[in-house]
Amino acid sequence: MSKLTGWWKNRSTAAKVELYTRWSFHFFVVIEVFSFGLAPMAVAAEKGIQRHVALGTLLVVLVHGVATAFLSSRALDWLVGRRERPVRLAVATTAVTAAACLAFLVLRMTEHLPEAVAPSMVTGMVGFTCGSLVLCAKRVRQMWCVAPAGALTTGIVVLAVGLPWGEAAGYTFAVLLTSLFMCLACGFSGWLLKMVYELDRARELQAQLAVAEERLRFGRDLHDVMGRNLAVIALKSELAVQLARRERPEAVTQMIEVQRIARESQREVRDVVRGYREADLAAELEGARGVLTAAGMDCRVEAEPGRKLRPEVQSALGWVVREATTNVLRHGDARTCVIRLTAPEGGELTLVVENDGAPQAPAGPPGSGLAGLRERLAVLDGTLDAGPVGDGRFRLRARIPGRQLRGLEVRA
């Protein structure tokens, strides 16, 4: 059963919206054929329509439906940035519609099609074509012109074939209403699909910018620490060279000082790296809530207030929260996320991060993030479990034994 539904569950929200929209337009072919193409067949015996005429109209409607569906599909590809705008296909579809409607009106004039059948067929074909053409328009002003243009052109053609003014007005009004409805429905569907993809790309960029900002911060910290020390080392080395050339004993003293500064620099670099990888747990929990909420998710943080934790425990759990937040943002399509921290007195500390919208199959090879977390927790005799738990949910659970929580401490 999971294999049958995986093709849907493993898709992102944008891909689901696109699939739904695309197949809605494909279903228009079925609607057009059953609503208009079969009408001559249904009344062939009653209205005296020749069988070959009824079959011909059915074939024309079928071809027209497939053409409009194909145009809609190509237009959706253009809206999401996969193809160029299908201008030639739009012109060809418009030409097919005009030729088909003209043929139906001629059959109406020659009484091969009854008066009750021809208007519905012409109105339906023009309406579906206008809906497809709206998806190819770049501006809203162009979209609003499609339906009036289709109605006006239909009225002119009806008059040109010799039908009376009253019937031409009826055609014009019916085409205008039908085309306006189709243009609004198709235009809104295309706009919605475009906005969903733009939001999806914005969320990816937000995650990338957050990583880039953290790297810049670390680079600035490292520059501040090393810049001064490297300048001092360079000056003292030059001084030692000058003293050594003069055979002064102070050169040894200067080189000893250079050695001391170099060792001090090593210690400071380790402190910077450790500070970069360590994080205050309360700050990371609040940061995770802010980032996930800003990404449009319902994030709930449940933590016991007032519990005291050792600095190394806070560091390990803070890194777990940071990595889990990154995974929620980058993988799947989560709408809700729960971060739960339980640390009973004398008991095992547990941190759980659970979200929905997780794909059943990984999108690519496993990264090194979870392996790094397991290494950090192993120092504290802790464990890390991560994986799907059913219903499209993913759970990450970190455990640290109670004996590692004793000692002194920073408030979580």
Side-chain angles (χ1 to χ4, degrees):
M1 188 65 182
S2 60
K3 292 182 179 180
L4 296 177
T5 58
W7 65 274
W8 173 261
K9 290 183 178 180
N10 293 337
R11 295 175 180 267
S12 63
T13 297
K16 290 177 181 177
V17 173
E18 180 185 357
L19 184 65
Y20 170 78
T21 305
R22 194 176 294 275
W23 279 101
S24 296
F25 286 114
H26 292 341
F27 189 68
F28 284 171
V29 179
V30 180
I31 296 177
E32 184 174 354
V33 170
F34 278 87
S35 299
F36 309 114
L38 294 180
M41 298 289 293
V43 299
E46 180 181 352
K47 301 293 183 179
I49 302 176
Q50 297 180 7
R51 190 169 185 83
H52 69 275
V53 174
L55 289 174
T57 56
L58 174 60
L59 179 61
V60 170
V61 172
L62 179 60
V63 172
H64 176 267
V66 172
T68 54
F70 191 64
L71 174 61
S72 300
S73 180
R74 289 298 181 91
L76 292 178
D77 289 337
W78 169 65
L79 286 175
V80 299
R82 297 197 191 105
R83 294 178 181 269
E84 295 182 356
R85 191 161 66 134
V87 178
R88 294 181 179 178
L89 184 59
V91 173
T93 303
T94 304
V96 170
T97 304
C101 291
L102 181 61
F104 292 156
L105 290 173
V106 172
L107 290 174
R108 161 73 182 87
M109 279 292 299
T110 58
E111 297 184 353
H112 286 86
L113 280 179
E115 183 179 351
V117 174
S120 63
M121 298 182 67
V122 172
T123 301
M125 293 182 68
V126 175
F128 281 112
T129 301
C130 289
S132 299
L133 292 176
V134 162
L135 295 175
C136 303
K138 288 184 176 180
R139 298 180 178 86
V140 178
R141 183 181 303 176
Q142 297 173 351
M143 296 179 183
W144 282 112
C145 294
V146 172
L152 183 60
T153 303
T154 302
I156 294 174
V157 173
V158 171
L159 288 175
V161 298
L163 292 174
W165 282 90
E167 192 166 347
Y171 272 96
T172 303
F173 184 71
V175 169
L176 180 62
L177 289 182
T178 304
S179 299
L180 281 176
F181 173 77
M182 292 300 298
C183 289
L184 288 173
C186 296
F188 178 77
S189 298
W191 172 82
L192 179 63
L193 178 62
K194 187 176 180 180
M195 291 301 103
V196 169
Y197 267 99
E198 288 185 0
L199 290 174
D200 191 59
R201 285 191 288 266
R203 188 174 65 175
E204 293 179 359
L205 289 175
Q206 184 182 29
Q208 294 174 4
L209 288 174
V211 173
E213 183 179 358
E214 185 65 14
R215 288 175 177 173
L216 288 174
R217 185 194 68 80
F218 176 68
R220 288 193 299 268
D221 292 345
L222 189 61
H223 176 271
D224 293 340
V225 169
M226 293 299 298
R228 176 181 57 84
N229 291 345
L230 290 175
V232 174
I233 289 174
L235 290 174
K236 286 189 171 293
S237 298
E238 292 177 3
L239 178 58
V241 169
Q242 296 296 329
L243 292 174
R245 287 175 178 174
R246 299 174 186 176
E247 298 183 354
R248 299 283 297 274
E250 291 86 349
V252 177
T253 304
Q254 294 298 326
M255 291 307 300
I256 293 175
E257 184 67 13
V258 168
Q259 187 181 40
R260 185 192 66 79
I261 296 174
R263 290 176 177 173
E264 182 69 16
S265 298
Q266 288 180 334
R267 184 189 63 79
E268 291 181 355
V269 169
R270 285 194 294 268
D271 291 341
V272 170
V273 174
R274 184 167 57 250
Y276 173 67
R277 294 187 177 273
E278 293 179 356
D280 180 73
L281 180 56
E284 289 298 326
L285 290 173
E286 191 60 30
R289 190 210 308 266
V291 170
L292 295 179
T293 301
M297 304 178 197
D298 180 16
C299 180
R300 188 172 71 253
V301 177
E302 301 174 0
E304 297 179 0
R307 185 72 165 96
K308 294 181 178 180
L309 301 175
R310 294 165 53 190
E312 53 265 39
V313 174
Q314 284 207 72
S315 174
L317 294 180
W319 190 248
V320 171
V321 172
R322 184 182 299 180
E323 179 68 19
T325 303
T326 302
N327 289 339
V328 172
L329 286 171
R330 290 184 174 178
H331 306 299
D333 188 29
R335 295 185 299 272
T336 61
C337 181
V338 178
I339 304 176
R340 185 180 300 109
L341 176 66
T342 56
E345 292 291 340
E348 181 183 68
L349 184 147
T350 304
L351 174 67
V352 175
V353 181
E354 184 173 339
N355 62 278
D356 63 357
Q360 292 185 352
S368 59
L370 296 181
L373 294 181
R374 290 189 176 94
E375 293 175 0
R376 286 180 165 274
L377 293 172
V379 177
L380 301 171
D381 297 332
T383 58
L384 179 74
D385 300 319
V389 293
D391 296 332
R393 302 190 68 82
F394 187 92
R395 180 183 298 160
L396 184 146
R397 180 188 289 116
R399 296 188 180 95
I400 297 179
R403 63 179 180 275
Q404 294 289 345
L405 307 181
R406 304 184 185 96
L408 243 293
E409 304 195 329
V410 178
R411 190 172 296 271

